[in-house]
Amino acid sequence: MFDFEFQNPTRIVFGKNSVAKLDALVPADARVLVLFGGSSAERTGTLAEVRAALGKRERREFGGIEPNPTYETLMRAVELVRAEKLNFLLAVGGGSVIDGTKFVAAAAGFEGDPWRILETFGGAVTSALPFGTVLTLPATGSEMNHNAVVTRASTHTKAFFANPLVFPKFSVLDPTKTYTLPSNQLANGVVDAFVHVVEQYLTYPVEGLVQDRFAEGLLRTLIEVGPKAVLEPRVDYDTRANLMWSATMALNGVIAAGVPQDWATHLVGHELTALYGIDHARTLAIILPAMLGLRRDAKRAKLLQFAARVWDITDGGEDERIDQAIEKTRTFFESLGVKTHLSDYNIGADAIDGLVAKLEEQGLTKLGERQDVTPTIARRVYEASL
Ligand SMILES: NC(=O)c1ccc[n+]([C@@H]2O[C@H](COP(=O)([O-])OP(=O)(O)OC[C@H]3O[C@@H](n4cnc5c(N)ncnc54)[C@H](O)[C@@H]3O)[C@@H](O)[C@H]2O)c1
């Protein structure tokens, strides 16, 4: 196992009616900016609950943060924070609103051009406003990590940053908040969480027995509860609670500690969102099967472990078992209604030059757990995803 330090300071407040606990979580003298996305937070009544819980605190609201939040929109929130001297942020929404709030938190006091935060992958951040979250979509883990992804609309650049200063102070996780999600968003959440685990698990063995079993437990849980959440018309609290907690645990640092990490599928997938607007999770479902198939030699030991322990595949030669595990993964995504080929989105081979150029432009030329996913390999992955 690799050496590691682990600290996650985010307080999780989990359960039914937990939004009311905001009163105890947000400082009484805070000047709060509530950030949210489109109409769903208002329509579902979550914003009304938030307003009631915040009571008489000084409060402003900033709506309209898009899925895949844009720098341009977020900078308007930064201006509002600065102009009104707001000192606490509260994100109400899914990964997009939470990521956007992290950027606003880091940019509010930033001296110089805030795009530097993304250009330095978060290294330039020296302070951040405190913030909490009310999670409405289980998927990204953003509610308990220090990562964020922001898109610059003017250049179609999807960039990420990470910094320990942007861990949420707290996150309110009420599984009943997922009841209003359409099935395609639930499916996105299952796939996103699944691929997060894979990026931290399916690399090469380092005798991280705890991390491996933890990761396999999360994958098996998602395979169990995912179809129930997405396909069954009856809404079941425990299914949603397990989905929500799996998604949080998938990317809060626990399973990443002391093991190699990949993330090539995410970065190669980001360009599909940046250039074609495909939902984040759907880009992962397209890229992952091709990525695993092409990198099977470097990942052989873990792919065989994945086949045996996650999919119960033990018969056949090595490549046969690996093929079956990749196929089972693809079928799992497709069974949730998440397509796994570029052609499903009318994207053809003529798009690949532009996708590879976008990766190169951002300096993303050495990806993966061994930094051997070069633009040439990325090109082959896109080709195998057609
Ligand atoms: N920070 C991280 O670690 C991390 C990890 C993975 C992905 N991401 C980023 O997160 C973003 C995606 O976030 P997401 O998948 O959570 O989706 P999202 O936040 O973009 O939300 C998707 C849609 O669902 C709607 N919605 C949210 N909650 C709802 C509810 N309860 N009922 C009805 N509708 C609801 C939203 O209004 C939105 O239209 C992408 O930009 C992705 O790159 C971040």
Side-chain angles (χ1 to χ4, degrees):
M1 199 189 305
F2 296 165
D3 296 345
F4 68 89
E5 288 185 21
F6 175 72
Q7 183 179 24
N8 189 315
T10 302
R11 172 191 293 250
I12 296 295
V13 180
F14 194 101
K16 290 174 189 161
N17 304 318
S18 42
V19 175
K21 295 183 181 165
L22 284 174
D23 188 26
L25 294 164
V26 177
D29 59 352
R31 292 173 55 78
V32 185
L33 180 64
V34 179
L35 300 102
F36 54 97
S39 57
S40 69
E42 189 80 72
R43 202 179 56 239
T44 57
T46 304
L47 271 182
E49 282 179 61
V50 167
R51 290 177 189 129
L54 290 178
K56 295 198 185 329
R57 286 174 182 81
E58 197 70 45
R59 186 188 82 235
R60 300 285 181 279
E61 295 184 357
F62 186 89
I65 297 179
E66 331 61 353
N68 306 302
T70 66
Y71 177 75
E72 289 81 351
T73 298
L74 298 173
M75 282 307 296
R76 288 195 285 111
V78 170
E79 281 160 25
L80 180 61
V81 168
R82 289 174 177 169
E84 302 268 334
K85 300 197 177 359
L86 304 171
N87 59 17
F88 196 95
L89 309 180
L90 184 63
V92 180
S96 293
V97 175
I98 299 174
D99 281 11
T101 300
K102 289 176 181 176
F103 177 77
V104 175
F110 192 80
E111 286 180 21
D113 176 5
W115 186 249
R116 283 289 298 154
I117 294 172
L118 283 311
E119 279 176 341
T120 59
F121 305 109
V125 176
T126 52
S127 69
L129 286 178
F131 68 98
T133 88
V134 174
L135 181 68
T136 62
L137 198 174
T140 65
S142 187
E143 65 278 8
M144 200 180 175
N145 69 36
H146 63 299
N147 311 323
V149 191
V150 173
T151 297
R152 193 157 195 165
S154 59
T155 56
H156 293 282
T157 302
K158 188 161 178 170
F160 69 91
F161 81 97
N163 190 294
L165 291 167
V166 296
F167 271 110
K169 295 289 170 215
F170 63 80
S171 282
V172 171
L173 274 59
D174 178 345
T176 68
K177 292 287 154 216
T178 71
Y179 291 0
T180 53
L181 281 167
S183 62
N184 68 323
Q185 292 296 350
L186 283 164
N188 281 356
V190 174
V191 171
D192 198 20
F194 191 96
V195 181
H196 288 159
V197 179
V198 167
E199 298 269 31
Q200 300 159 88
Y201 162 72
L202 237 169
T203 55
Y204 54 88
V206 292
E207 297 298 319
L209 304 188
V210 173
Q211 296 90 327
D212 279 5
R213 298 277 188 202
F214 235 102
E216 288 152 4
L218 290 170
L219 294 173
R220 292 193 74 116
T221 304
L222 289 165
I223 291 165
E224 184 178 333
V225 301
K228 286 186 196 163
V230 175
L231 304 173
E232 286 184 8
R234 193 178 70 88
V235 177
D236 173 57
Y237 178 80
D238 288 319
T239 298
R240 298 302 174 92
N242 281 297
L243 173 58
M244 198 170 233
W245 191 223
S246 299
T248 302
M249 289 298 292
L251 196 50
N252 65 0
V254 170
I255 62 168
V259 300
Q261 299 182 52
D262 183 342
W263 299 109
T265 293
H266 266 71
L267 293 168
V268 170
H270 275 180
E271 307 310 348
L272 292 171
T273 305
L275 293 180
Y276 297 99
I278 301 175
D279 289 352
H280 170 67
R282 285 164 198 263
T283 70
L284 305 177
I286 295 166
I287 298 297
L288 183 73
M291 184 73 82
L292 294 180
L294 278 165
R295 293 167 68 205
R296 70 175 56 215
D297 289 330
K299 290 179 178 291
R300 181 165 294 266
K302 282 310 249 326
L303 274 167
L304 290 167
Q305 184 176 323
F306 173 65
R309 294 198 196 165
V310 176
W311 293 114
D312 299 321
I313 299 165
T314 50
D315 290 337
E318 285 192 359
D319 280 298
E320 211 178 317
R321 278 180 274 152
I322 289 172
D323 285 339
Q324 278 184 53
I326 295 171
E327 204 42 45
K328 285 251 191 196
T329 304
R330 184 190 292 284
T331 308
F332 175 58
F333 297 160
E334 294 268 354
S335 75
L336 300 171
V338 179
K339 299 290 183 196
T340 59
H341 291 101
L342 286 171
S343 54
D344 295 315
Y345 298 88
N346 297 320
I347 296 175
D350 54 333
I352 294 177
D353 282 347
L355 290 162
V356 175
K358 208 69 195 159
L359 277 171
E360 287 175 326
E361 183 188 302
Q362 292 177 82
L364 301 172
T365 54
K366 289 182 183 170
L367 307 178
E369 63 271 22
R370 295 191 195 273
Q371 284 96 56
D372 57 358
V373 181
T374 58
T376 309
I377 303 287
R379 175 179 295 281
R380 287 176 57 204
V381 170
Y382 287 129
E383 285 166 358
S385 306
L386 287 169

